[in-house]
Amino acid sequence: QVQLVESGGGLVQAGGSLRLSCTASGRKLSNYAMGWFRQAPGKEREFVAGIAKNEFNTYYGDSVKGRFTISRDNAKNTVNLQMNGLQPEDTAVYYCAADPGTYFPERAANVYDYWGQGTQVTVSS
């Protein structure tokens, strides 16, 4: 059973940057496709970014493409999300998720079996 813990959230001004990290324990992250999702109040959980088991193939939601970068270090059991050019619309709780069933990440939240508790990102103007 893999356990995931997000960190790095906080309050930033529009145009600023944050780097989120997700650390895993219990299992090797190399066994999982990984994804970042976010959920704002009153909205559906949204796919933000995903990365394959190989540490190279990456995928992004349309709303963050070109601004966010996902990466992983399987040796350190971590996955990161570098967020640049943050906007108020990016305000949400951000979650990392693990999917043991696929090599490449999926966009659908219900595919992922393991989730962290989430970290709050708030962007002010």
Side-chain angles (χ1 to χ4, degrees):
Q1 183 84 248
V2 66
Q3 293 179 279
L4 306 173
V5 180
E6 303 94 338
S7 63
L11 174 64
V12 298
Q13 295 291 116
S17 298
L18 282 174
R19 184 172 184 265
L20 306 184
S21 295
C22 177
T23 59
S25 61
R27 303 289 290 180
K28 294 181 178 179
L29 271 194
S30 60
N31 293 324
Y32 304 90
M34 298 296 298
W36 283 98
F37 291 79
R38 67 187 183 187
Q39 188 164 21
K43 299 184 67 176
E44 298 291 325
R45 187 162 295 189
E46 177 188 17
F47 174 78
V48 175
I51 187 165
K53 294 180 179 180
N54 61 15
E55 303 184 333
F56 296 105
N57 295 89
T58 59
Y59 306 84
Y60 297 93
D62 291 340
S63 63
V64 306
K65 191 174 298 182
R67 298 187 296 121
F68 292 8
T69 303
I70 188 172
S71 62
R72 69 190 294 167
D73 187 337
N74 287 341
K76 296 181 179 180
N77 267 10
T78 61
V79 60
N80 303 305
L81 184 69
Q82 178 66 46
M83 305 184 294
N84 298 325
L86 285 164
Q87 302 170 2
E89 64 195 51
D90 296 315
T91 295
V93 177
Y94 284 70
Y95 301 89
C96 66
D99 177 14
T102 62
Y103 191 90
F104 298 98
E106 299 284 346
R107 296 175 57 90
N110 60 13
V111 171
Y112 293 80
D113 293 327
Y114 305 101
W115 295 82
Q117 303 92 335
T119 185
Q120 177 70 48
V121 172
T122 302
V123 185
S124 64
S125 59

